[in-house]
Amino acid sequence: GIQVEQSPPDLILQEGANSTLRCNFSDSVNNLQWFHQNPWGQLINLFYIPSGTKQNGRLSATTVATERYSLLYISSSQTTDSGVYFCATAPGTSGSRLTFGEGTQLTVNP
Amino acid sequence: GAGVSQTPSNKVTEKGKYVELRCDPISGHTALYWYRQSLGQGPEFLIYFQGTGAADDSGLPNDRFFAVRPEGSVSTLKIQRTERGDSAVYLCASSSGAPPGTQYFGPGTRLTVL
């Protein structure tokens, strides 16, 4: 099956700093989503981005499908951004089952 | 409802018992998914429904696990003869129409098997 690798596994920032999270995947995809899992375990949708670039406030994401990677940018980080960020993809042959990476644990200190 | 809901939020059971976990998808969403998340890992796919039928059940770990969606809305994940290794958070997601498309996740059911 498709492999999804996220980096870095852990990231510690001071409030106000910027960061870039990376997701590499091993096959062509027709579904790629970024999620934020908050401390209560809720998976919050950030982006549906199988290709191209999107922005939502302080967050933006870019997926380069031909090179099989996606980037999540967080600018002017806040303590509420802390949590685990997951990238999940589904292969081009089937858009149903999402395969998740191991996540990036982000800690933003005040 | 506004989002995907799951009940119960927590379930503690004894090894060997039978449990049922319920998922109520976003109204009108035809696709429904079950995932399982162990501590420190990303969610893993279990089963996908399109309408009433299981379109992909390849993620179910063994025949102790079964899921139904009889009317194409609410789904129940059933686990027989629970084992301690079944302890995890069970997540449900739904999406509108056929895949691909954004999957929206519920808050999960934390299952603990003693």
Side-chain angles (χ1 to χ4, degrees), chain B residues 3-51:
Chain B
V4 178
S5 62
Q6 293 186 244
T7 54
S9 55
N10 281 285
K11 176 70 176 179
V12 180
T13 191
E14 293 179 344
K15 181 176 178 296
K17 298 290 189 182
Y18 167 83
V19 297
E20 290 189 351
L21 311 179
R22 176 188 167 108
C23 171
D24 216 321
I26 292 172
S27 178
H29 279 192
T30 58
L32 184 146
Y33 311 80
W34 284 99
Y35 294 82
R36 178 169 72 171
Q37 186 174 22
S38 299
L39 193 63
Q41 298 182 7
E44 294 180 321
F45 171 82
L46 295 176
I47 187 169
Y48 152 57
F49 287 89
Q50 185 62 248

Side-chain angles (χ1 to χ4, degrees), chain A residues 30-35 43-50 54 88 95-96 98, chain B residues 4 26 29-33 35 93-105:
Chain A
N30 63 4
N31 187 343
L32 190 146
Q33 293 184 237
W34 282 98
F35 297 90
L43 277 170
I44 300 165
N45 282 285
L46 298 178
F47 295 101
Y48 171 80
I49 188 166
K54 292 185 177 179
S96 58
L98 287 175
Chain B
V4 178
I26 292 172
H29 279 192
T30 58
L32 184 146
Y33 311 80
Y35 294 82
S94 70
S95 67
S96 61
T102 304
Q103 294 185 24
Y104 298 90
F105 281 75

